[in-house]
């Protein structure tokens, strides 16, 4: 019947070992409650309950090991569960008011209970010793309990020949039990009640009843949708080992802390007996013992060391048992309620005795606590955090243990919790952990930890408490240099800067290295420059190579932000860097201090400072003096490292913007090998250096362009390497852009360069690149405009040397007239339009000599006959050949570069409406080629009048005041006044604004502009004509 009931109950729990263990624990919980209401054999039932309770703690301990996977584990648990279930049935059978029992029945029940306990003890002995690993205390405890249970003996009261008085003696009146200072065996699970016929008085004590009530586990079933488990942690009794009469002070009725024995032989709490004696001093009563009433001859007492030791050991055993029980409860807990109760139990244990904190850490509770932090329940999280903080604060040993097992990322994560209690608790725990130097690096290395703390530090308005604690944590974390770097990377610069300014030499070097590695924001660069510029400059002056290297690296970064230039200059950096570049030499120094110094100087120069008055030494030299320029060019001419060369050229580029040093640079480059050096650097693999060299050559080209062009052509691989063919998907690079611009800006009339470009077949590449750019349309890259302008400029340069037959053939073959006309139509770039207009002007000037009347060749058989003109076959053919009205010959856009045939005139007129005066002037110059004296001016004027040329020119004159533009405009207007129709003359004469412009130019113009204005004014009868 018992087996059937057990199987039915197990079906409710399930079949795994975990379910069996829960069933056993639940049954034992029921038994500890039921024994209090048993009507018969109460001693036996209470002792049975005590054994079962101790066995339950052993079972909880087993569930934390790998024993559940052992081959005989299931058999053992099943056997124990049957025994426990039998004990429960017997307890239920003996409840008060159920039925009377005869003596034989009681003897049978007692024997059955004894058999149950012995069987469970036997089953516990089957557990292999290796199950508990290195936890010797657990192994010895289970073995001790097993032996004790196997030797248990219960005796029915009905079978005793001498019955015991049913009235139990009071616990306080029981005979003294002399304490044993050194127990022979410690059982961490022991609740060793002295329940026997020799000591029956203990059974009815309030302490025992309270213990049983507080030790009982009330088994509650969880709703069906939840996993089967206990819903509440089994609270541990206040004392898990019996309390003896001798432990209590007769005066206070409390367990003694410092027991002393007076002359009567009775032991009291020291403080209590002293207070008793003090009360008697003020009275006339005879000094008596408070307990025995015996007269005392002296107040003297002796410390009861044996009892004190016994009490201490008793407390330690009970605390150890409570700790293990709490650990087991934590490991078995499966609901929020159980976890919270278990954590609070550990918290209570630690509060009673600081020593317990160390014990808690030693028995492996810490990993369980950190696992509890994964719960979402805020009460659990905050309670666990408070407990961990308590463990850290109480003992250094605990702090070390926690440091080894702490899951720092989890604590950091909870700093951002929306619950203030969790946020503050995690902050306090982290603060305590940060006091350990060993943990500082671990905390700082957690991703985002430093950033989060800095954010909270400056979020005082949101959470003042968290802000204050975050600041304290950050100060603690400064113990690690790596954390200082992390703080700087996340915007907190003060710790790094403070150590850099005030630290020892080694620390300064570390901080400077950190500062050089960090990518600073613009605001940070300014703040850092203000704080440490002077310190860094001093480090450069030192003889320590490591200090110099670190300082140079940081100064390069600080100087790269242009607003810092004034700060650095005021700190005296220029004089120091110039000295490093030109004078100072440190032998065997691995670093390139000259390159670093040149980089700093270049950064400062590019900031736009006034360099003329910036002194570089005590001799009065300034940054624009010949002293500086000569030294830089000298260094450039000598084989220096690429990085240094790049920075030297950057300095020269800035100086070339100032007239005086620019003149010196031009002279030195012209007279020394510097021009060859710069041209050779064009093909340097260091792209930044190559670009800098091309930029400097471009600046010098207007002054020594022919020299540079000649030397460029003499250099191997040039000039073709300046133009690299790209693809449709390739973005234009800066080097491509500056290279094209350099080729375009070199003197256009340099025949040597133009022929070299021709021989290297550059033009087809240029055309292809232009076509690709036009196809990309609205997807221009950063350098595309400059590159496009350079390519068009290269084409324009060929139009200036068309006297060379090969170049003339090139222009015809590539149909330059059509190319430039299309560029006028298809681009909105002012520079492209200007260059295209210049190209059309140059081509149009050649049209005059290229356009000739057509010559008809007669066939041989036709020469034998001379027919009358009206019968001539050639007359009709000649009439079919169209002659250009302007150039008086057969014209085409390809062969004679006729801009009329190319339909370019209308596009040039549109350019006259451009706001850029350079574009307008270039377009006007191209149109003016149609009014040259070598063409048919009358027909040209007539043709231009038909497309409203006069109106466009008048608009241009009104919009722009440039001298050259007005001179060309007045020249065209004069042509129309002299050769144009009455309508054109009337249009010009009736313009109300033009006379004022002419008068202004007559008064303020120079040279030809003034003369042209005067002629037009006379023609308009605005001035007297002296020649009429």
């Amino acid at each position: 019947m018992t087996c059937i009931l057990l199987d039915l109950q197990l079906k409710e729990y399930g079949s795994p070992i975990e379910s069996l263990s829960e069933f056993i624990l639940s049954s034992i919980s029921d038994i500890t409650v039921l024994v209090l209401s048993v009507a018969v054999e109460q001693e036996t039932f209470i002792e049975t309950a005590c054994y079962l309770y101790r066995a339950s703690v052993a079972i909880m301990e087993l569930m934390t090991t790998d024993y559940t996977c052992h081959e005989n584990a299931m058999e053992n648990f099943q056997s124990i569960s049957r025994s426990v279930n039998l004990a429960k049935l017997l307890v239920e059978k003996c409840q008060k008011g159920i039925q009377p029992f005869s003596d034989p029945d009681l003897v049978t029940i007692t024997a059955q209970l004894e058999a149950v306990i012995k069987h469970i003890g036997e089953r516990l002995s089957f557990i292999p010793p290796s199950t508990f690993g290195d936890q010797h205390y657990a192994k010895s405890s289970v073995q001790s309990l097993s032996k004790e249970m196997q030797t248990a003996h219960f005796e029915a009261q009905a079978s005793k020949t001498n019955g015991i008085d049913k009235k139990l003696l009071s616990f306080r009146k029981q005979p003294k039990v002399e304490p044993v200072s050194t127990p022979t065996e410690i059982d961490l699970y022991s609740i060793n009640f002295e329940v026997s016929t020799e000591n029956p008085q203990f059974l009815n004590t309030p302490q025992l009843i309270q213990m049983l009530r507080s030790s009982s586990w009330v088994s509650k079933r969880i709703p069906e949708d939840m996993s089967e488990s206990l819903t509440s942690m089994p609270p541990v009794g206040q004392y898990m080992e019996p309390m003896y009469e001798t432990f209590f002070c007769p005066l206070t009725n409390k367990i003694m802390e410092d027991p002393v024995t007076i002359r009567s032989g009775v032991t009291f709490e020291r403080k209590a007996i002293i207070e008793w004696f003090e009360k008697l001093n003020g009275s006339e009563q005879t000094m008596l013992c408070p307990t025995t009433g015996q007269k005392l001859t002296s107040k003297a007492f002796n410390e009861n060391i044996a009892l004190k030791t016994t009490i201490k050991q008793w407390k330690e055993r009970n605390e150890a048992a409570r700790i293990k029980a709490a650990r087991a409860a934590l490991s078995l807990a499966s609901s929020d309620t159980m976890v919270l109760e278990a954590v609070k139990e550990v918290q209570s244990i630690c509060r009673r005795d600081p020593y317990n904190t160390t014990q808690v850490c030693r028995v492996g509770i810490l990993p369980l606590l950190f696992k509890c932090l994964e719960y979402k329940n805020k009460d659990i999280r905050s309670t666990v955090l408070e407990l961990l903080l308590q463990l850290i604060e109480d003992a250094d040993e605990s702090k070390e243990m926690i440091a080894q097992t702490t899951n720092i990322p989890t604590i950091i994560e909870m700093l951002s919790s929306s619950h203030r209690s969790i946020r503050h608790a995690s902050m306090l725990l982290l603060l305590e952990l940060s006091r350990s130097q060993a943990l500082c690096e671990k905390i700082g290395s957690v991703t985002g930890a430093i950033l989060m703390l800095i954010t909270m530090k400056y979020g005082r308005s949101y959470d003042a408490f968290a802000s204050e604690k975050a600041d304290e944590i950050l100060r603690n974390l400064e113990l690690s240099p790596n954390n200082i770097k992390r703080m700087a990377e996340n915007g907190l610069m003060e710790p790094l800067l403070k150590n850099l300014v005030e630290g020892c030499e080694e620390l300064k070097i570390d901080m400077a290295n950190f500062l050089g590695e960090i990518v600073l924001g613009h605001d940070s660069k300014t703040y850092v420059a203000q704080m440490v510029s002077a310190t860094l400059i001093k480090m450069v002056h030192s003889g320590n190579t490591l200090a110099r290297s670190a300082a140079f690296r940081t100064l390069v970064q600080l100087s790269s932000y242009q607003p810092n230039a004034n700060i650095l200059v005021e700190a005296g950096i220029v004089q120091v860097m110039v000295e490093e570049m030109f004078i100072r030499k440190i032998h065997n120094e691995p670093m390139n201090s000259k390159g670093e110094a040149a980089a700093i100087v270049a950064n400062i120069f590019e900031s736009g400072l006034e360099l003329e008055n910036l002194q570089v030494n005590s001799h009065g030299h300034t940054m624009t003096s010949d002293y500086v320029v000569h030294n830089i060019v000298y260094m450039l001419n000598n084989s220096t490292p690429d990085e240094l060369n790049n920075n030297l050229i950057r300095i020269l580029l800035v100086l070339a913007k100032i007239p005086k040093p620019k003149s010196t640079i031009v002279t030195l480059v012209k007279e020394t090998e510097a021009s060859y050096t710069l041209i050779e650097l064009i093909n340097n693999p260091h792209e930044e250096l190559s670009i800098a060299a091309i930029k400097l050559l471009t600046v010098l080209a207007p002054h020594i362009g022919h020299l540079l062009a000649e030397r460029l052509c003499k250099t191997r691989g040039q000039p073709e390497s300046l133009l690299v063919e790209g693809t449709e998907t390739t973005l234009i690079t800066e080097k491509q852009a500056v290279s094209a611009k350099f080729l375009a800006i070199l003197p256009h009339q340099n025949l040597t360069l133009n022929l070299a470009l021709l021989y290297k077949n550059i033009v087809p590449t240029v055309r292809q690149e232009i076509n690709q750019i036009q196809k990309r349309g609205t997807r221009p890259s950063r350098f595309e405009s400059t590159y496009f302008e350079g390519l068009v400029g290269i084409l324009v340069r060929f139009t200036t040397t068309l006297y060379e037959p090969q170049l003339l053939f090139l222009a015809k073959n590539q149909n330059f007239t059509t190319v430039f006309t299309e560029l006028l139509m298809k681009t909105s770039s002012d520079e492209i339009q200007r260059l295209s207009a210049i190209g059309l002007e140059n081509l149009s000037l050649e049209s005059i000599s290229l356009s000739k009347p057509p010559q008809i060749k007669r066939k041989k058989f036709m020469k034998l006959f001379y027919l009358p003109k009206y019968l001539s076959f050639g007359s009709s053919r000649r009439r079919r050949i169209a002659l250009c009205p302007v150039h008086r010959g057969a014209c085409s856009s390809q062969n004679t570069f006729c801009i009329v045939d190319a339909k370019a005139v209308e596009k040039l007129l549109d350019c006259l409406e451009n706001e850029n005066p350079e574009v307008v002037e270039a377009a006007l110059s191209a149109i003016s080629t149609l009014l040259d004296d070598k063409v048919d001016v009358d027909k040209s004027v007539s043709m231009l009048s038909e497309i409203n040329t006069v109106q466009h020119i008048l608009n241009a004159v009104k919009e722009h005041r440039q001298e050259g533009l007005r001179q060309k405009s007045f020249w065209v207007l004069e042509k129309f006044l002299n050769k144009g129709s009455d309508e054109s003359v009337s249009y010009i004469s009736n313009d109300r604004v033009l006379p004022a412009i002419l008068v202004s130019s007559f008064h303020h113009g120079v040279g030809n502009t003034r003369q042209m204005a005067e002629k037009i004014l006379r023609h308009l009868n605005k001035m007297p004509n002296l020649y009429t």
Side-chain angles (χ1 to χ4, degrees):
M1 183 65 181
T2 301
C3 294
I4 295 173
L5 289 174
L6 176 60
D7 290 339
L8 290 173
Q9 290 170 336
L10 285 178
K11 285 181 181 179
E12 182 183 359
Y13 284 91
S15 58
I17 291 179
E18 289 80 359
S19 298
L20 279 173
S21 66
E22 291 179 10
F23 172 77
I24 293 169
L25 296 175
S26 177
S27 298
I28 293 174
S29 174
D30 293 341
I31 291 171
T32 57
V33 174
L34 293 172
V35 293
L36 299 178
S37 58
V38 170
V40 295
E41 296 295 333
Q42 195 175 52
E43 295 178 15
T44 302
F45 280 106
I46 289 177
E47 191 168 2
T48 300
C50 290
Y51 276 123
L52 291 177
Y53 180 81
R54 294 166 63 192
S56 70
V57 180
I59 291 171
M60 287 192 292
E61 181 66 33
L62 281 176
M63 296 307 296
T64 65
T65 67
D66 295 333
Y67 177 67
T68 55
C69 300
H70 199 272
E71 57 184 3
N72 69 343
M74 178 60 76
E75 181 184 352
N76 258 1
F77 274 95
Q78 287 176 343
S79 180
I80 292 172
S81 66
R82 292 189 184 96
S83 297
V84 171
N85 193 59
L86 176 58
K88 183 178 179 181
L89 292 174
L90 292 172
V91 171
E92 290 174 346
K93 183 178 179 181
C94 298
Q95 293 292 294
K96 292 178 180 178
I98 295 179
Q99 62 180 358
F101 293 94
S102 63
D103 286 349
D105 291 338
L106 295 177
V107 171
T108 302
I109 291 172
T110 302
Q112 287 178 320
L113 289 175
E114 181 179 315
V116 166
I117 297 303
K118 287 184 176 181
H119 179 74
I120 294 175
E122 181 183 3
R123 281 297 173 180
L124 291 177
S125 68
F126 292 163
I127 299 172
S130 60
T131 299
F132 301 99
D134 58 351
Q135 298 184 20
H136 303 293
Y137 57 86
K139 178 173 65 177
S140 62
S141 299
V142 173
Q143 290 176 347
S144 174
L145 177 62
S146 173
K147 291 177 183 178
E148 187 178 342
M149 293 179 77
Q150 289 183 72
T151 58
H153 174 69
F154 301 153
E155 185 176 349
Q157 291 182 4
S159 64
K160 294 180 182 179
T161 57
N162 297 320
I164 300 176
D165 187 0
K166 300 299 180 181
K167 184 177 180 180
L168 298 177
L169 297 175
S170 170
F171 178 76
R172 293 290 183 264
K173 301 297 183 180
Q174 73 172 339
K176 295 182 182 178
V177 179
E178 291 299 326
V180 181
S181 60
T182 306
T184 58
E185 185 176 32
I186 298 176
D187 182 3
L188 295 182
Y189 300 127
S190 175
I191 317 177
N192 188 21
F193 291 99
E194 298 295 332
V195 181
S196 66
T197 56
E198 287 76 21
N199 189 20
Q201 295 88 345
F202 182 74
L203 297 177
N204 199 30
T205 63
Q207 287 85 358
L208 175 61
I209 301 302
Q210 180 62 31
M211 186 279 299
L212 286 172
R213 284 175 179 166
S214 64
S215 301
S216 64
W217 300 347
V218 181
S219 176
K220 300 178 182 178
R221 302 302 295 166
I222 299 176
E224 294 179 0
D225 59 338
M226 298 178 64
S227 61
E228 295 181 354
S229 64
L230 297 176
T231 60
S232 178
M233 188 206 104
V236 183
Q238 186 178 2
Y239 300 104
M240 300 182 71
E241 195 171 319
M243 299 170 290
Y244 300 99
E245 174 67 18
T246 52
F247 291 179
F248 289 85
C249 172
L251 292 175
T252 63
N253 287 332
K254 295 180 180 178
I255 297 175
M256 291 180 283
E257 298 288 340
D258 188 7
V260 294
T261 305
I262 62 176
R263 293 300 185 208
S264 64
V266 182
T267 302
F268 298 91
E269 179 67 47
R270 180 190 295 268
K271 182 178 180 182
I273 195 62
I274 290 175
E275 291 177 353
W276 173 269
F277 288 150
E278 289 177 351
K279 289 180 181 178
L280 294 179
N281 285 341
S283 66
E284 298 179 354
Q285 295 180 5
T286 305
M287 189 176 299
L288 302 175
C289 172
T291 302
T292 65
Q294 179 182 345
K295 184 176 181 180
L296 300 176
T297 59
S298 171
K299 298 180 182 179
F301 52 77
N302 297 318
E303 184 178 8
N304 193 335
I305 298 176
L307 180 58
K308 184 175 183 179
T309 303
T310 302
I311 293 174
K312 180 180 179 182
Q313 292 175 347
W314 173 80
K315 286 184 176 180
E316 289 175 354
R317 288 196 301 274
N318 277 298
E319 292 296 344
R322 290 175 64 83
I323 291 171
K324 291 305 295 175
R327 177 186 180 278
L330 269 177
S331 63
L332 290 174
S334 58
S335 68
D336 288 0
T337 304
M338 293 178 67
V339 171
L340 187 58
E341 289 182 10
V343 173
K344 288 181 177 179
E345 174 65 15
V346 178
Q347 205 172 29
S348 173
I349 292 171
C350 294
R351 284 173 181 165
R352 277 199 299 272
D353 187 352
Y355 176 73
N356 289 342
T357 60
T358 303
Q359 298 301 102
V360 165
C361 295
R362 285 178 177 175
V363 299
I365 288 182
L366 285 178
L368 298 174
L369 291 176
F370 283 114
K371 189 175 181 181
C372 291
L373 291 176
E374 298 175 4
Y375 281 77
K376 300 300 181 183
N377 187 302
K378 70 180 183 65
D379 294 329
I380 293 177
R381 283 188 165 192
S382 58
T383 305
V384 170
L385 289 169
E386 290 171 3
L387 174 56
L388 289 171
L389 179 62
Q390 181 181 346
L391 294 174
I392 292 177
E393 291 176 339
D394 286 347
D396 292 336
E397 185 178 353
S398 302
K399 185 178 294 186
E400 293 178 4
M401 293 181 185
I402 292 175
Q404 294 173 1
T405 57
T406 298
N407 187 359
I408 300 293
T410 301
I411 298 174
I412 297 295
E413 181 183 350
M414 286 189 287
L415 293 179
S416 59
S417 172
S418 58
H419 299 290
R420 185 180 294 267
S421 59
I422 296 177
R423 192 165 61 248
H424 287 183
S426 59
M427 186 68 75
L428 290 171
L429 177 59
L430 193 64
L431 174 60
E432 197 62 36
L433 292 172
S434 68
R435 302 187 197 280
S436 167
Q437 188 168 0
L439 277 179
C440 281
E441 177 64 26
K442 190 174 181 181
I443 294 172
S445 63
V446 176
T447 303
I450 298 289
L451 177 59
M452 188 176 295
L453 288 169
I454 293 174
T455 303
M456 298 181 79
K457 168 185 168 71
Y458 292 112
R460 188 169 186 81
S461 59
Y462 172 70
D463 191 336
F465 177 83
S467 173
E468 179 184 349
K469 299 306 173 185
D471 185 48
E472 292 182 36
I473 294 171
L474 288 169
R475 285 202 298 270
N476 292 339
L477 295 182
E478 291 178 24
L479 293 173
S480 168
N482 287 331
N483 285 341
I484 295 176
K485 179 184 177 183
R486 295 183 183 107
M487 292 176 196
E489 288 173 336
N490 288 283
L492 185 61
M493 302 298 302
E494 287 78 4
L496 189 150
L497 301 182
K498 180 181 178 182
N499 283 282
L500 178 55
V501 175
E502 301 176 2
C504 62
E505 184 178 21
E506 183 178 354
L507 187 57
K508 285 183 177 182
I509 293 173
D510 287 342
M511 295 300 106
N513 278 322
F514 285 161
L515 198 54
E517 295 170 3
I518 296 170
V519 179
L520 298 174
H522 292 331
D523 294 340
S524 297
K525 286 180 182 178
T526 300
Y527 176 66
V528 171
Q530 293 170 340
M531 297 296 294
V532 299
S533 292
T535 301
L536 293 171
I537 293 171
K538 288 179 182 178
M539 291 174 68
V540 169
H541 259 306
S542 71
N544 188 320
T545 301
L546 294 177
R548 282 166 52 79
S549 176
F552 267 122
R553 190 181 305 112
T554 303
L555 286 171
V556 168
Q557 184 178 182
L558 295 179
S559 63
S560 65
Y561 184 48
Q562 294 185 358
N564 287 347
N566 282 319
I567 299 172
L568 295 171
V569 169
E570 290 175 2
I573 196 171
V574 173
Q575 294 82 352
V576 175
M577 294 302 114
V578 170
E579 180 183 345
E580 290 286 338
M581 289 172 61
F582 302 154
I583 301 173
R584 189 169 185 178
K585 293 182 180 179
I586 299 179
H587 298 287
N588 300 323
E589 186 174 56
M591 64 172 292
N592 180 21
S593 62
K594 293 185 183 297
E596 304 281 2
I600 294 168
V601 172
N603 288 340
I604 292 175
F605 275 26
E606 289 172 351
S607 67
L609 287 180
E610 294 286 340
L611 302 180
E612 289 86 347
N613 299 321
L614 189 58
Q615 289 195 346
V616 298
N617 55 30
S618 58
H619 302 292
H621 293 136
T622 65
M623 285 307 304
T624 59
S625 64
D626 290 348
Y627 165 77
V628 173
V629 177
H630 277 268
N631 274 287
I632 293 175
V633 174
Y634 171 79
M635 293 173 68
L636 190 61
N637 283 331
N638 291 275
S639 298
T640 53
D642 289 346
E643 191 63 38
L644 176 56
N645 277 336
N646 178 55
N647 293 321
L648 292 174
I649 294 174
R650 287 173 60 200
I651 296 172
L652 290 176
L653 278 169
V654 177
L655 293 175
K657 297 177 182 178
I658 304 171
K660 182 178 179 299
K662 181 178 183 178
S663 176
T664 307
I665 295 170
V666 169
T667 302
L668 289 174
V669 172
K670 182 178 180 180
E671 296 177 354
T672 65
E673 298 297 315
S675 59
Y676 284 113
T677 301
L678 291 171
I679 291 171
E680 288 173 357
L681 290 175
I682 291 175
N683 288 332
N684 192 286
H686 190 294
E687 186 164 332
E688 190 176 352
L689 172 58
S690 174
I691 293 171
I694 297 171
K695 285 181 177 179
L696 183 57
L697 289 169
T698 303
V699 172
L700 300 177
H703 306 279
I704 51 173
H706 285 287
L707 173 69
L708 296 177
E710 297 294 331
R711 293 185 176 179
L712 179 67
C713 294
K714 293 178 182 179
T715 303
R716 178 179 296 181
Q718 298 296 357
E720 64 272 15
S721 67
L722 285 167
L723 204 62
V724 180
E725 185 176 352
T727 63
E728 291 185 10
T729 58
T730 305
L731 291 178
I732 307 301
T733 65
E734 185 179 9
K735 184 174 181 180
Q736 285 179 286
V738 297
S739 298
K741 184 178 180 180
F742 175 52
L743 283 176
I745 206 171
L746 286 171
H748 288 183
Q749 296 81 8
N750 190 283
L751 184 60
T752 303
L753 178 58
N754 290 350
L755 289 173
L757 293 172
L758 173 67
Y759 297 151
K760 299 300 181 180
N761 203 28
I762 291 296
V763 174
T765 302
V766 172
R767 290 286 309 277
Q768 183 176 349
E769 290 293 295
I770 290 175
N771 290 336
Q772 288 180 357
I773 292 173
Q774 290 178 325
K775 285 180 182 179
R776 282 194 286 266
T778 59
R779 297 187 296 121
S781 65
R782 178 183 175 187
F783 304 107
E784 188 168 286
S785 297
T786 303
Y787 184 53
F788 194 4
E789 293 166 4
L791 293 174
V792 176
I794 293 171
L795 293 183
V796 171
R797 69 178 302 111
F798 292 109
T799 65
T800 62
T801 52
L802 294 177
Y803 57 84
E804 168 59 43
Q806 297 179 76
L807 297 175
L808 180 62
F809 177 79
L810 171 70
K812 291 181 179 181
N813 185 51
Q814 294 292 331
N815 198 357
F816 275 8
T817 311
T818 301
V819 171
F820 290 129
T821 303
E822 290 178 352
L823 288 171
L824 280 177
M825 293 189 298
K826 296 181 179 180
T827 182
S828 59
S829 167
D830 288 352
E831 182 61 16
I832 299 297
Q833 289 185 343
R834 186 186 74 83
L835 291 170
S836 299
I838 292 173
L840 289 172
E841 178 191 2
N842 295 335
L843 293 170
S844 183
L845 289 173
E846 295 296 321
S847 297
I848 299 172
S849 58
L850 294 176
S851 180
K852 296 179 181 179
Q855 296 185 4
I856 306 301
K857 293 184 178 181
R858 296 174 181 269
K859 295 183 179 180
K860 291 184 179 180
F861 75 92
M862 292 295 294
K863 292 181 181 180
L864 300 176
F865 304 96
Y866 294 93
L867 298 176
K869 289 184 178 181
Y870 64 90
L871 295 176
S872 173
F873 295 106
S875 60
S876 61
R877 181 173 299 180
R878 282 197 297 270
R879 285 196 296 271
R880 287 197 297 271
I881 297 176
L883 299 180
C884 177
V886 177
H887 299 109
R888 305 189 188 96
C891 283
S892 69
S893 60
Q894 181 170 2
N895 294 322
T896 65
F897 315 132
C898 180
I899 61 175
V900 177
D901 184 69
K903 310 297 184 192
V905 179
E906 292 84 351
K907 306 301 180 292
L908 291 169
L909 288 176
D910 290 339
C911 291
L912 295 181
E913 304 299 328
N914 197 298
E915 295 179 357
N916 189 327
E918 293 182 356
V919 175
V920 176
E921 186 174 353
L924 195 55
S925 296
I927 294 171
S928 298
T929 60
L930 300 178
L931 299 174
D932 189 270
D933 292 338
K934 296 178 182 179
V935 303
D936 191 332
V937 178
D938 292 335
K939 291 184 178 180
S940 181
V941 168
S942 175
M943 183 268 295
L944 292 173
S945 296
E946 291 176 0
I947 53 178
N948 298 323
T949 302
V950 172
Q951 181 179 355
H952 285 290
I953 293 175
L954 287 174
N955 290 337
V957 170
K958 297 171 186 176
E959 292 294 329
H960 305 287
R961 299 182 179 183
Q962 285 72 19
E963 189 77 17
L965 192 154
R966 283 195 169 179
Q967 180 182 333
K968 291 179 181 178
S969 300
F970 292 164
W971 184 83
V972 173
L973 290 175
E974 186 190 12
K975 291 288 185 180
F976 274 90
L977 287 172
N978 291 329
K979 302 289 186 176
S981 62
D982 293 340
E983 183 181 355
S984 298
V985 174
S986 174
Y987 195 89
I988 297 172
S989 302
N990 293 329
D991 191 284
R992 296 183 179 183
V993 180
L994 180 61
I997 296 173
L998 292 170
V999 170
S1000 176
S1001 297
F1002 177 74
H1003 287 300
H1004 306 290
V1006 294
N1008 291 335
T1009 305
R1010 186 174 184 277
Q1011 294 176 6
M1012 291 294 171
E1014 183 181 355
K1015 288 181 180 180
I1016 297 174
L1017 285 171
R1018 292 183 187 281
H1019 198 285
L1020 298 176
N1021 295 321
K1022 301 297 181 180
M1023 287 182 66
N1025 193 340
L1026 301 178
Y1027 303 103
T1028 57

